[in-house]
Amino acid sequence: MSLNGLNFYSYLSKIRILKTYSSKIMLVAFLGTHVPLITLLLFFVISTVQDMQTALKILGIALVATLAGTAATLLALHKLLAPVMLTSKSLNRYLSEKEIPNLPTVFHDEAGSLMADTVTTVRKLDELIHYMTNYDGLSGLPNRDLFLERLSNSLHELSMREEILSFPVLSLEATHLKQIRSNFGVHMGDLYLRSLVQKLETMLGPETVLARTGDGEFSFFPLPSSSQILETDSEVWAAKIQNSTSSPLHVVDQQISSEIRIGISVFPYDGKSSDQLLWKSETALNQTKLSGNSKIQTYSSEWKERMKEKYLLEKDLRLAISKNQLFIQYQPRIEVQTGKKISAEALLRWNHPEYGVISPTIFIPIAEESGIIGEMGEWVLSKSMEDLGNWKKRGLPPIRISVNLSAKQLEDKNITKKVLDILEKNNLSVEDLELEITESSLITNIQSALEILGELHSWGISLALDDFGTGYSSLSYLSKIPLKTLKVDQSFVRKILTDPNSLAISKTIVALGKSLGLRITAEGVETEVQMRKIKDLGCDEAQGYFLSKPILLEELEKFVQT
Ligand code: C2E
Ligand code: CA
Ligand code: CA
């Protein structure tokens, strides 16, 4: 490497203690000022002063003075080096954190232009890199990555707003691109794509984000802020674009056309993330190819209404707790052999302002999907334990409450602590509570669920396995869960007298439970004969309409006292 002019610098760089640039300059400056000064001083003192004491005095004063002067010079030099240091630091920061240098551009000497030029050069380079990684070279349009990023940004903006806004994402494909390339050549194929892009850009205007998302595929969506395309209009909009882009385009001296197909997905019904929306508009696009006849297709049109309802419900559900729309009904259980009223199951209800009381079988899955279940489940625990705390305080007959735990709550590492805190807050002990889990809730993450269940068990909290016999029953894990109770599912109890299979299954469940030392609860007992049958089979507890439907706390109080 040629060192043109860097020889001295390179020589100094070899000296270990002079690692930094400023230390090299400092050393040179120090030696440069001190060596001549001290030489001069020594020479002067030796040749003129005879008496030793005066000589030492002069030397001392002179040394202090030169040291002070040099220190000031070195400090000033150090400050003068700041532009170089700052530039080096900000270049480093750009390399490690992609932060564009923010250096002053007002100075006009070499150091000033070093800073100013660094800023301009890095900014230009950064733009170029951004362009190369985010834009498609042929069409000049954003590529797939940038499209997804812009879509995400728009979705994020939307999530800040109060009102529910929907908008479509469209994927358009020129399906005859291959034929065009083989008939007219690759270059003409490229030119055709460019003309198609021009046409699309003019049609869509600046309020729409357009990108090249595949070889002959382009995707676009109207910026939600423009709100010009309502979701209901999206098919009409697509038809207009499809029609206009299908007509022949003038390319050099040819008229070239391709079949155009469009797939549509709609936020929020078809998805709430950019990936989902693009994936679904492309799926819809592929569906048009499979079905053949229609060139425009909306993803899952037939599900749209259902999804819409679900989405609206989810919005309301988020407010249900704060608006006091949730309440609990308790369904009592009795001990089969003695008839004693010993426990009750807490069942969540939602009193929707418009639709009335909605069943948990409808809103619990929505709460699980949307993540509200955590908060909701904690509300059930808190409220039911508060009820039970008051119950005990008033000296009513002792009763144990069962609370249903959702699969999602079994992923919460803090659930044990939460449960214990709630018990303590209401002066209750672990015997007052039982938690019901279902087999299916164990499937997703069995290892972590087992850990949490083990922890709950070690604190003395009883666990019941709900709906037993309906899930993915695996006997091997049954022995691993620290259970106290098995609940025979209602579907077997209901048919226990009419269907031999249900009877056989019920018998097996009881035998299995007993062999594992578990208590057996039969749920969904609706008639007296069913009651007698489950007693014969050896069930320990019963729950069902025959005894009582789920009732409010005040009614439970009366029920227990009769
Ligand atoms: P589950 O835990 O199996 O609750 C028993 C369901 O059967 C309740 O329905 C109850 O009203 C109903 N039932 C009780 N006895 C009879 C009977 O004799 N005949 C008939 N036909 N039905 C009977 P509900 O209250 O609609 O609850 C449905 C499901 O919702 C529950 O099933 C449970 O899985 C879930 N759920 C309810 N509350 C909560 C809760 O607080 N948290 C969680 N995670 N899930 C809950
Ligand atoms: Ca249950
Ligand atoms: Ca059940």
Side-chain angles (χ1 to χ4, degrees):
M1 190 175 66
S2 117
L3 284 177
N4 53 59
L6 293 177
N7 293 337
F8 182 57
Y9 170 73
S10 141
Y11 175 74
L12 284 189
S13 295
K14 291 191 187 116
I15 304 173
R16 275 263 200 88
I17 50 160
L18 300 181
K19 245 193 350 215
T20 66
Y21 187 50
S22 63
S23 63
K24 295 181 187 72
I25 295 205
M26 297 301 154
L27 181 78
V28 171
F30 182 80
L31 293 179
T33 48
H34 268 68
V35 172
L37 259 175
I38 291 182
T39 317
L40 191 68
L41 190 67
L42 278 177
F43 180 73
F44 169 76
V45 170
I46 291 168
S47 58
T48 56
V49 187
Q50 251 84 44
D51 122 58
M52 194 59 175
Q53 245 192 343
T54 325
L56 281 179
K57 214 185 204 170
I58 294 176
L59 270 178
I61 293 172
L63 263 181
V64 170
T66 46
L67 268 177
T70 322
T73 314
L74 290 186
L75 186 70
L77 268 180
H78 185 75
K79 298 268 177 212
L80 270 176
L81 280 173
V84 180
M85 300 304 172
L86 228 90
T87 308
S88 145
K89 228 189 241 165
S90 45
L91 277 175
N92 259 320
R93 203 168 309 137
Y94 174 73
L95 286 178
S96 61
E97 290 153 40
K98 284 271 159 289
E99 187 184 321
I100 303 277
N102 179 16
L103 296 165
T105 51
V106 287
F107 304 104
H108 297 295
D109 60 358
E110 292 88 337
S113 75
L114 172 70
M115 294 191 289
D117 294 350
T118 302
V119 174
T120 336
T121 312
V122 172
R123 192 164 285 157
K124 274 193 186 150
L125 267 177
D126 195 71
E127 272 165 21
L128 190 66
I129 293 170
H130 180 78
Y131 188 84
M132 279 169 41
T133 46
N134 287 298
Y135 287 83
D136 162 52
L138 173 75
S139 64
L141 290 176
N143 63 16
R144 199 179 174 89
D145 287 346
L146 187 57
F147 179 78
L148 286 170
E149 193 184 313
R150 298 235 166 119
L151 186 52
S152 284
N153 292 343
S154 288
L155 293 173
H156 182 70
E157 252 171 58
L158 265 188
S159 68
M160 310 287 210
R161 296 203 203 166
E162 267 297 303
E163 84 261 60
I164 306 169
L165 226 167
S166 74
F167 71 93
V169 173
L170 292 83
S171 292
L172 172 153
E173 189 182 345
T175 52
H176 291 164
L177 193 58
K178 245 195 200 143
Q179 288 95 311
I180 295 175
R181 282 183 179 140
S182 64
N183 290 347
F184 300 93
V186 175
H187 182 60
M188 284 294 272
D190 288 352
L191 293 181
Y192 164 78
L193 281 181
R194 280 201 189 139
S195 314
L196 181 62
V197 168
Q198 265 178 10
K199 184 142 202 185
L200 277 171
E201 278 180 324
T202 349
M203 281 201 84
L204 299 176
E207 302 270 74
T208 305
V209 175
L210 172 66
R212 185 173 180 198
T213 45
D215 188 15
E217 185 198 300
F218 301 90
S219 296
F220 48 96
F221 67 94
L223 284 170
S225 54
S226 72
S227 72
Q228 53 179 13
I229 306 299
L230 296 172
E231 162 244 335
T232 42
D233 296 341
S234 60
E235 285 185 18
V236 181
W237 192 44
K240 220 161 91 188
I241 295 165
Q242 196 276 338
N243 191 28
S244 143
T245 47
S246 304
S247 54
L249 299 177
H250 192 76
V251 183
V252 193
D253 51 358
Q254 305 273 357
Q255 294 287 103
I256 303 182
S257 69
S258 163
E259 176 193 74
I260 302 286
R261 293 180 177 272
I262 298 179
I264 309 171
S265 66
V266 180
F267 168 85
Y269 317 122
D270 294 329
K272 288 184 202 159
S273 72
S274 54
D275 290 316
Q276 277 173 354
L277 288 166
L278 180 58
W279 183 74
K280 290 195 174 165
S281 67
E282 289 177 326
T283 308
L285 174 65
N286 286 330
Q287 276 167 9
T288 68
K289 292 188 213 161
L290 294 178
S291 66
N293 36 27
S294 161
K295 298 206 167 57
I296 296 170
Q297 171 119 22
T298 303
Y299 185 87
S300 68
S301 326
E302 74 265 36
W303 288 99
K304 214 157 89 184
E305 279 310 305
R306 277 186 69 177
M307 294 296 284
K308 200 183 217 161
E309 245 166 51
K310 198 182 115 178
Y311 180 71
L312 288 174
L313 221 48
E314 185 187 318
K315 280 236 148 185
D316 295 349
L317 197 53
R318 288 190 184 277
L319 298 172
I321 299 184
S322 58
K323 291 200 165 172
N324 274 326
Q325 292 164 358
L326 296 182
F327 65 99
I328 297 177
Q329 283 191 324
Y330 294 94
Q331 188 173 35
R333 281 202 285 253
I334 62 157
E335 199 168 59
V336 175
Q337 302 304 329
T338 60
K340 269 206 240 159
K341 293 147 185 165
I342 46 165
S343 63
E345 177 174 0
L347 294 161
L348 186 57
R349 303 286 177 256
W350 177 20
N351 191 3
H352 189 279
E354 225 174 293
Y355 309 129
V357 178
I358 301 182
S359 160
T361 51
I362 293 177
F363 71 81
I364 295 276
I366 299 177
E368 281 181 331
E369 241 174 74
S370 57
I372 313 169
I373 191 71
E375 202 189 336
M376 196 167 259
E378 276 166 43
W379 183 86
V380 178
L381 266 171
S382 297
K383 182 74 177 83
S384 59
M385 290 303 104
E386 190 188 317
D387 284 351
L388 186 59
N390 292 333
W391 178 285
K392 269 192 145 178
K393 232 187 265 165
R394 293 173 49 220
L396 293 166
I399 193 164
R400 197 182 63 230
I401 298 288
S402 301
V403 174
N404 293 285
L405 270 201
S406 128
K408 287 274 149 57
Q409 288 175 279
L410 280 182
E411 288 168 12
D412 179 0
K413 296 260 178 279
N414 292 322
I415 189 74
T416 311
K417 182 168 186 319
K418 286 174 184 167
V419 170
L420 293 172
D421 285 351
I422 289 173
L423 286 174
E424 196 192 323
K425 192 174 153 216
N426 294 293
N427 287 320
L428 295 171
S429 76
V430 284
E431 283 94 46
D432 295 318
L433 173 67
E434 179 174 65
L435 295 174
E436 294 192 6
I437 53 171
T438 58
E439 289 170 279
S440 48
S441 70
L442 299 173
I443 302 301
T444 40
N445 192 351
I446 182 128
Q447 211 42 50
S448 106
L450 282 179
E451 265 169 42
I452 290 172
L453 293 176
E455 209 178 84
L456 286 164
H457 173 74
S458 72
W459 283 95
I461 293 165
S462 320
L463 300 170
L465 193 55
D466 205 354
D467 306 342
F468 188 67
T470 60
Y472 314 76
S473 310
S474 151
L475 295 181
S476 66
Y477 78 70
L478 191 58
S479 60
K480 287 192 196 141
I481 318 171
L483 286 176
K484 185 151 176 236
T485 309
L486 267 192
K487 291 184 80 176
V488 185
D489 189 64
Q490 343 190 341
S491 56
F492 306 122
V493 178
R494 197 170 306 139
K495 291 185 280 177
I496 206 162
L497 292 155
T498 52
D499 169 30
N501 284 333
S502 292
L503 178 63
I505 293 171
S506 304
K507 276 184 179 164
T508 313
I509 293 176
V510 174
L512 176 71
K514 295 274 162 184
S515 75
L516 291 170
L518 304 176
R519 283 176 71 79
I520 312 290
T521 303
E523 60 175 350
V525 181
E526 291 184 352
T527 64
E528 194 179 349
V529 267
Q530 284 172 354
M531 186 72 195
R532 236 179 287 141
K533 191 74 199 171
I534 60 132
K535 190 173 176 181
D536 287 348
L537 288 185
C539 290
D540 301 288
E541 284 182 44
Q543 171 181 359
Y545 291 173
F546 173 63
L547 299 158
S548 166
K549 290 202 162 182
I551 47 184
L552 292 173
L553 186 71
E554 303 84 66
E555 300 167 295
L556 181 69
E557 202 179 311
K558 277 180 225 142
F559 180 87
V560 169
Q561 282 164 340
T562 53

